[in-house]
Amino acid sequence: MSKVGIIMGSKSDLPVMQDAIDILKGFDIEVEVDIVSAHRTPDKLFDYGKNAHTRGIKVIVAGAGGAAHLPGMVASLSPLPVIGVPVKSSNSIDGWDSVLSILQMPGGVPVATVALNGAKNAGILAAQILGSADQCVLDKIILYKEGLKAKVIDSAKGL
């Protein structure tokens, strides 16, 4: 089964990253969750980036705050698609430092970037990537989107 690797720079990022974990589990997608600090555990970062694909991981979701080097560094090492989640951390400059650190990658090292604290969308995007090659996942995404549509229609009825 395809897995999504969810990594974050520190445990303090978990409340944000939990949204990606929850949405992926809701789609019955296996997740592997770990803390991999670009600055405090560089050897672990290198090992993770170079070897995640050998463990069956198909997409990496990487959340980081502050200087937010984790998503870009993992993308530089891995052949897998990487989705970056900028996290507004306690030492952040309103989150803009994280957003720009992840968004402004050099040519050749793409990182798909979601909104500040947008881990839910990162999880959905990871599922959509998997769904492009897995009909079962695709069917779940279609149902999910139909559910979103139904909620809007239902809420409009009460106006």
Side-chain angles (χ1 to χ4, degrees):
M1 177 181 201
S2 297
K3 288 192 286 191
V4 174
I6 298 178
I7 56 175
M8 61 206 83
S10 68
K11 191 173 182 180
S12 64
D13 299 331
L14 184 57
V16 170
M17 299 305 289
Q18 190 65 50
D19 287 342
I21 296 166
D22 293 344
I23 196 81
L24 288 163
K25 286 184 176 181
F27 289 135
D28 296 320
I29 295 170
E30 186 179 349
V31 296
E32 174 188 282
V33 181
D34 203 354
I35 296 171
V36 180
S37 171
H39 303 107
R40 295 176 296 261
T41 60
D43 292 336
K44 184 175 183 178
L45 164 75
F46 272 73
D47 181 61
Y48 189 93
K50 289 182 176 184
N51 297 305
H53 67 284
T54 66
R55 294 191 310 279
I57 292 176
K58 300 296 182 194
V59 181
I60 298 170
V61 176
H69 291 107
L70 180 61
M73 286 302 298
V74 168
S76 75
L77 296 163
S78 179
L80 300 174
V82 175
I83 303 167
V85 179
V87 175
K88 185 176 179 183
S89 59
S90 61
N91 66 339
S92 181
I93 306 167
D94 280 341
W96 280 107
D97 46 351
S98 305
V99 170
L100 294 174
S101 292
I102 297 171
L103 185 65
Q104 294 295 103
M105 292 300 299
V109 187
V111 174
T113 309
V114 297
L116 184 66
N117 291 346
K120 181 177 183 178
N121 276 352
I124 294 167
L125 181 55
Q128 290 174 312
I129 291 168
L130 294 176
S132 69
D134 183 327
Q135 188 63 48
C136 183
V137 173
L138 184 61
D139 290 342
K140 290 174 185 176
I141 293 166
I142 291 168
L143 285 173
Y144 175 79
K145 290 198 171 216
E146 285 295 321
L148 293 176
K149 176 182 164 184
K151 284 180 186 177
V152 171
I153 292 169
D154 286 345
S155 68
K157 289 177 185 174
L159 297 178

